[in-house]
Amino acid sequence: MTPSASPCESCAAKPCLKACPVSAFSAAGYDVDACAGWLRGGEDAACIGGGCLARRACPVGREYVQSPEQAHFHMAAFLAAR
């Protein structure tokens, strides 16, 4: 499989960056600790219950969006692994 260019580079609007409530995404990368801390704090049930808001805001791969139940499972597994 040949790696392809990131679609993020050509995305002008970058709705994912605006959707993340803790600004976990930046030019430096993904701040995993900020994300996990937010989820553990329970401030935003939408992130843990329905999946990453940034991922849900991305226009790429809309046809592969997870069901809320599946997204919740993955978010819970992410927290358990941290």
Side-chain angles (χ1 to χ4, degrees):
M1 177 187 265
T2 304
S4 59
S6 170
C8 303
E9 299 300 320
S10 62
C11 182
K14 298 194 183 343
C16 57
L17 300 181
K18 298 173 189 125
C20 181
V22 293
S23 301
F25 300 94
S26 71
Y30 171 47
D31 187 343
V32 178
D33 292 332
C35 178
W38 176 260
L39 293 173
R40 279 199 185 90
E43 288 92 346
D44 191 347
C47 291
I48 192 76
C52 175
L53 295 179
R55 177 65 194 103
R56 290 182 5 212
C58 179
V60 176
R62 293 260 185 220
E63 63 274 21
Y64 303 110
V65 172
Q66 299 172 335
S67 69
E69 297 82 11
Q70 187 178 19
H72 175 74
F73 171 82
H74 286 283
M75 294 302 274
F78 166 70
L79 280 179
R82 301 259 336 126

